[in-house]
Short mmCIF file of all heavy atoms in Angstrom, two decimals:
data_model
loop_
_atom_site.label_atom_id
_atom_site.label_comp_id
_atom_site.label_asym_id
_atom_site.label_seq_id
_atom_site.Cartn_x
_atom_site.Cartn_y
_atom_site.Cartn_z
N LYS A 184 1.50 24.94 14.37
CA LYS A 184 2.87 24.15 14.44
C LYS A 184 2.69 23.19 15.56
O LYS A 184 2.30 23.53 16.60
CB LYS A 184 3.97 25.18 14.71
CG LYS A 184 4.25 25.99 13.50
CD LYS A 184 5.34 25.43 12.57
CE LYS A 184 5.41 26.13 11.22
NZ LYS A 184 4.55 25.63 10.23
N PRO A 185 3.16 21.92 15.32
CA PRO A 185 3.11 20.99 16.43
C PRO A 185 4.26 21.18 17.45
O PRO A 185 5.22 21.87 17.02
CB PRO A 185 3.29 19.54 15.77
CG PRO A 185 4.05 19.92 14.46
CD PRO A 185 3.65 21.32 14.17
N ASN A 186 4.00 20.85 18.71
CA ASN A 186 5.19 21.02 19.63
C ASN A 186 6.16 19.77 19.38
O ASN A 186 7.34 20.04 19.61
CB ASN A 186 4.62 20.79 21.05
CG ASN A 186 3.72 21.91 21.52
OD1 ASN A 186 2.49 21.86 21.31
ND2 ASN A 186 4.26 22.89 21.97
N SER A 187 5.67 18.75 18.87
CA SER A 187 6.62 17.64 18.46
C SER A 187 5.96 16.65 17.46
O SER A 187 4.69 16.73 17.34
CB SER A 187 7.29 16.88 19.69
OG SER A 187 6.20 16.33 20.45
N GLY A 188 6.75 15.81 16.86
CA GLY A 188 6.18 14.89 15.89
C GLY A 188 6.37 15.34 14.48
O GLY A 188 6.90 16.45 14.19
N GLN A 189 6.10 14.43 13.57
CA GLN A 189 6.29 14.73 12.15
C GLN A 189 5.00 14.60 11.22
O GLN A 189 4.16 13.80 11.64
CB GLN A 189 7.40 13.73 11.49
CG GLN A 189 8.75 14.20 11.70
CD GLN A 189 9.28 13.37 12.96
OE1 GLN A 189 9.14 12.22 13.10
NE2 GLN A 189 9.94 14.13 13.86
N ILE A 190 4.96 15.23 10.15
CA ILE A 190 3.93 15.09 9.19
C ILE A 190 4.64 14.80 7.86
O ILE A 190 5.53 15.53 7.43
CB ILE A 190 3.09 16.43 8.96
CG1 ILE A 190 2.45 16.81 10.32
CG2 ILE A 190 2.06 16.22 7.97
CD1 ILE A 190 2.03 18.22 10.49
N ILE A 191 4.23 13.65 7.20
CA ILE A 191 4.90 13.13 5.99
C ILE A 191 3.88 13.14 4.95
O ILE A 191 2.91 12.44 5.02
CB ILE A 191 5.45 11.78 6.23
CG1 ILE A 191 6.10 11.64 7.64
CG2 ILE A 191 6.39 11.32 5.14
CD1 ILE A 191 7.45 12.17 7.78
N LEU A 192 4.12 13.84 3.86
CA LEU A 192 3.18 13.93 2.63
C LEU A 192 3.94 13.27 1.51
O LEU A 192 4.93 13.63 1.05
CB LEU A 192 2.85 15.34 2.31
CG LEU A 192 1.97 15.45 1.03
CD1 LEU A 192 0.53 14.95 1.25
CD2 LEU A 192 1.88 17.02 0.71
N GLY A 193 3.30 12.13 1.05
CA GLY A 193 3.98 11.39 -0.12
C GLY A 193 5.47 11.07 0.15
O GLY A 193 6.32 11.20 -0.70
N GLY A 194 5.72 10.67 1.41
CA GLY A 194 7.16 10.30 1.79
C GLY A 194 8.10 11.47 2.13
O GLY A 194 9.24 11.30 2.59
N GLU A 195 7.51 12.69 1.91
CA GLU A 195 8.38 13.88 2.28
C GLU A 195 8.06 14.52 3.60
O GLU A 195 6.77 14.70 3.84
CB GLU A 195 8.24 14.87 1.05
CG GLU A 195 9.15 16.09 1.30
CD GLU A 195 8.87 17.16 0.20
OE1 GLU A 195 8.01 16.90 -0.63
OE2 GLU A 195 9.41 18.28 0.37
N ASP A 196 8.94 14.87 4.44
CA ASP A 196 8.64 15.42 5.72
C ASP A 196 8.31 16.92 5.44
O ASP A 196 9.10 17.66 5.04
CB ASP A 196 9.88 15.40 6.59
CG ASP A 196 9.50 15.80 8.07
OD1 ASP A 196 8.67 16.65 8.20
OD2 ASP A 196 10.18 15.24 8.99
N ILE A 197 7.01 17.30 5.80
CA ILE A 197 6.62 18.62 5.49
C ILE A 197 6.35 19.43 6.78
O ILE A 197 5.75 20.51 6.75
CB ILE A 197 5.23 18.66 4.61
CG1 ILE A 197 4.13 17.93 5.39
CG2 ILE A 197 5.50 18.12 3.20
CD1 ILE A 197 2.77 18.31 4.80
N THR A 198 6.79 18.87 7.88
CA THR A 198 6.48 19.39 9.28
C THR A 198 6.88 20.88 9.34
O THR A 198 6.20 21.68 9.90
CB THR A 198 7.22 18.65 10.36
OG1 THR A 198 7.07 17.22 10.02
CG2 THR A 198 6.60 18.87 11.73
N ALA A 199 7.92 21.30 8.76
CA ALA A 199 8.49 22.69 8.88
C ALA A 199 7.86 23.60 7.79
O ALA A 199 8.20 24.76 7.87
CB ALA A 199 9.98 22.69 8.88
N LEU A 200 7.20 23.11 6.75
CA LEU A 200 6.82 23.88 5.57
C LEU A 200 5.58 24.76 6.03
O LEU A 200 4.67 24.37 6.75
CB LEU A 200 6.35 22.98 4.38
CG LEU A 200 7.47 22.32 3.75
CD1 LEU A 200 6.81 21.62 2.49
CD2 LEU A 200 8.58 23.17 3.33
N PRO A 201 5.61 26.04 5.50
CA PRO A 201 4.40 26.90 5.73
C PRO A 201 3.30 26.42 4.94
O PRO A 201 3.41 25.65 4.05
CB PRO A 201 4.94 28.23 5.30
CG PRO A 201 6.02 27.98 4.36
CD PRO A 201 6.70 26.74 4.89
N ALA A 202 2.06 26.88 5.34
CA ALA A 202 0.87 26.44 4.68
C ALA A 202 0.83 26.46 3.22
O ALA A 202 0.37 25.55 2.51
CB ALA A 202 -0.37 27.22 5.29
N HIS A 203 1.32 27.59 2.62
CA HIS A 203 1.16 27.75 1.23
C HIS A 203 2.10 26.75 0.43
O HIS A 203 1.64 26.31 -0.63
CB HIS A 203 1.47 29.19 0.82
CG HIS A 203 2.85 29.65 0.94
ND1 HIS A 203 3.36 30.14 2.09
CD2 HIS A 203 3.86 29.64 0.09
CE1 HIS A 203 4.62 30.44 1.98
NE2 HIS A 203 4.97 30.17 0.81
#
Side-chain angles (χ1 to χ4, degrees):
K184 292 267 166 275
N186 293 90
S187 59
Q189 279 95 47
I190 302 165
I191 319 284
L192 176 69
E195 182 188 353
D196 190 329
I197 60 163
T198 317
L200 289 188
H203 69 275

